[in-house]
Amino acid sequence: MDRRAIGKVCLALPGATLDHPFGDHHDAYRVGGKMFVMVGEQGGVSFKVSDIAYEILTETGRARPAPYLARAKWVNLPDPAAWEPDELADHFAIAHRIVAARLTKKARAALAL
């Protein structure tokens, strides 16, 4: 999955937005102002995962801990094109749900989540 396809998948999720807080070469996808997926300048992608998924993905070597975000259970894929698009889209949808669930009730209602 390339940068454009990642954007298409992420922006199709309810309430998702795109911004560039780290410069034009980094895409940050957010829900309710909270980031759930980030595409880096080199084309790698980082995203939020559950505690269990973090352990499984990092221990099996399918993903590595995301720089600066690993303590918050984010993983990084240096080459997202090596993953099946459907599997990656599922991970992005889960990341969206995890982050959206932590929003306030008022914020979730405003986004119709």
Side-chain angles (χ1 to χ4, degrees):
M1 188 177 285
D2 64 7
R3 183 183 216 111
R4 184 176 301 197
I6 290 170
K8 189 173 183 178
V9 168
C10 289
L11 291 174
L13 297 168
T17 60
L18 166 66
D19 70 358
H20 306 281
F22 309 110
D24 291 340
H25 301 291
H26 290 81
D27 298 339
Y29 295 93
R30 299 176 184 269
V31 59
K34 305 290 185 183
M35 192 166 56
F36 66 96
V37 172
M38 185 177 77
V39 181
E41 183 174 7
Q42 305 291 318
V45 64
S46 297
F47 52 93
K48 176 77 173 150
V49 293
S50 69
D51 293 350
I52 294 169
Y54 180 85
E55 295 301 323
I56 292 169
L57 291 171
T58 58
E59 286 179 10
T60 61
R62 294 202 66 213
R64 64 183 185 189
Y68 310 107
L69 297 169
R71 65 180 170 77
K73 304 298 188 226
W74 278 63
V75 295
N76 175 266
L77 309 176
D79 183 15
W83 283 56
E84 289 295 321
D86 290 342
E87 184 178 7
L88 205 49
D90 288 345
H91 279 291
F92 297 159
I94 292 167
H96 177 272
R97 283 195 301 271
I98 291 169
V99 172
R102 293 185 178 159
L103 297 173
T104 65
K105 199 181 284 189
K106 183 177 178 180
R108 285 193 310 271
L111 294 169
L113 299 174

